[in-house]
Amino acid sequence: MQASIDISWPQLGLFASLLLIPLFINAHFKLGINKSTIISLLRMLVQLFLLGLYLEYIFALDSIALNITWVILMIAMGSYSIISKSDLSSRKLLLANALALSCALLPLLLVMSLLVIQPSPRYNAQYMIPLAGMLLGNSLSGNIVALQTLFDAFKQRQDEYEAAIALGASPYQASFPFLQQAMKKAQAPILASMATTGIVTLPGMMTGQILGGVTPMVAIKYQLLILIAIFVMLSVSLSITLLLSLRYSLANNGLIKIKLNS
């Protein structure tokens, strides 16, 4: 297998000139998003460059305290992103989501580090940080969809909820169909992705490892590992997030105390 081929900054800069194509398309169709597109691209450039410098420092230092601190920061930022993107303003929902992500992520990291990959040392930042990032990153959109679906159902199907209560159902029983709908909708993309992986799509992690010089079979093993972990992570985090959010909502009489940002 050929070793990983480095890309020079001038080569990358030349390739980046292709971004003029989508900018031209946006201008041609008068989408009015060129400014936000340029800002997003510049933010991506700065953030990734700074992240690369920081990760090189973390990898070189490889401190268990620093690694854990970084993972906690990732969980906090991920929770904030989920709640803000879901248009929810409750701090208790933020704490519930942070707890859900922690309960789903940390045990998985321990299992993968201690029993499966077994890097040396076990808290090796080269494995710990990227794995945590992939698991969290693939759980964000699912949790956002789940929360939006749950609270939209409360708003749009309030009559159905009240009718079930009038017929003697408990608040949890009356809201259970909303919970089911939220979980199904949130898990649909990952199920579709798993069903087409290897035939329709070549996953990013596997592609990256192959480009880095790893043999295809080793890359497949890591891809299977991460896909299984992502599905478990998403399922656990969804369950805890929705149950805690539902409990808080019902304790405050449905949506009365859940303020949606408008």
Side-chain angles (χ1 to χ4, degrees):
M1 295 294 293
Q2 185 174 0
S4 177
I5 301 174
D6 193 10
I7 302 173
S8 69
W9 287 107
Q11 287 174 319
L12 185 59
L14 183 61
F15 182 78
S17 64
L18 293 175
L19 290 169
L20 293 173
I21 297 174
L23 291 176
F24 171 78
I25 292 173
N26 293 344
H28 178 74
F29 289 101
K30 300 178 181 179
L31 301 181
I33 59 173
N34 268 352
K35 182 179 179 180
S36 60
T37 300
I38 293 172
I39 292 174
S40 297
L41 290 171
L42 290 175
R43 287 186 59 181
M44 176 186 70
L45 172 64
V46 173
Q47 289 173 173
L48 284 177
F49 182 73
L50 293 177
L51 178 62
L53 293 176
Y54 184 63
L55 286 180
E56 285 192 356
Y57 170 74
I58 288 182
F59 290 175
L61 189 60
D62 212 11
S63 164
I64 185 171
L66 187 60
N67 293 353
I68 292 175
T69 301
W70 184 251
V71 170
I72 292 173
L73 179 62
M74 292 169 69
I75 292 173
M77 293 300 296
S79 301
Y80 176 78
S81 176
I82 289 171
I83 297 303
S84 62
K85 295 296 183 181
S86 302
D87 292 328
L88 299 170
S89 60
S90 171
R91 291 183 179 179
K92 288 192 176 182
L93 291 183
L94 178 62
L95 293 175
N97 192 254
L99 178 62
L101 292 180
S102 299
C103 291
L105 174 65
L106 299 180
L108 276 172
L109 280 180
L110 285 174
V111 170
M112 287 191 289
S113 297
L114 298 179
L115 301 179
V116 184
I117 302 176
Q118 299 182 2
S120 181
R122 292 293 189 265
Y123 54 83
N124 192 316
Q126 184 179 350
Y127 290 89
M128 184 176 181
I129 304 301
L131 287 173
M134 281 187 286
L135 293 178
L136 282 171
N138 283 276
S139 298
L140 295 187
S141 58
N143 277 269
I144 292 170
V145 170
L147 286 173
Q148 287 178 333
T149 303
L150 176 66
F151 290 112
D152 283 347
F154 267 111
K155 291 174 61 180
Q156 298 169 6
R157 299 164 62 184
Q158 187 71 21
D159 292 342
E160 179 182 332
Y161 174 81
E162 293 176 351
I165 293 292
L167 292 174
S170 68
Y172 177 77
Q173 290 171 330
S175 58
F176 189 72
F178 306 161
L179 182 68
Q180 288 180 311
Q181 180 187 8
M183 294 196 71
K184 287 180 180 179
K185 190 171 182 179
Q187 292 193 60
I190 184 63
L191 292 175
S193 176
M194 289 192 299
T196 58
T197 294
I199 299 177
V200 179
T201 62
L202 193 60
M205 182 180 184
M206 178 180 172
T207 303
Q209 286 196 311
I210 291 176
L211 292 176
V214 174
T215 63
M217 289 308 299
V218 172
I220 286 173
K221 292 177 185 177
Y222 272 90
Q223 188 61 60
L224 285 172
L225 175 71
I226 198 64
L227 281 177
I228 293 170
I230 287 171
F231 187 54
V232 173
M233 166 90 183
L234 181 61
S235 299
V236 174
S237 63
L238 281 177
S239 301
I240 299 176
T241 293
L242 290 175
L243 287 173
L244 291 178
S245 300
L246 186 61
R247 180 178 179 181
Y248 172 69
S249 177
L250 296 179
N252 290 277
N253 193 20
L255 285 180
I256 293 178
K257 296 295 179 73
I258 300 286
K259 297 181 180 179
L260 297 175
N261 297 325
S262 58

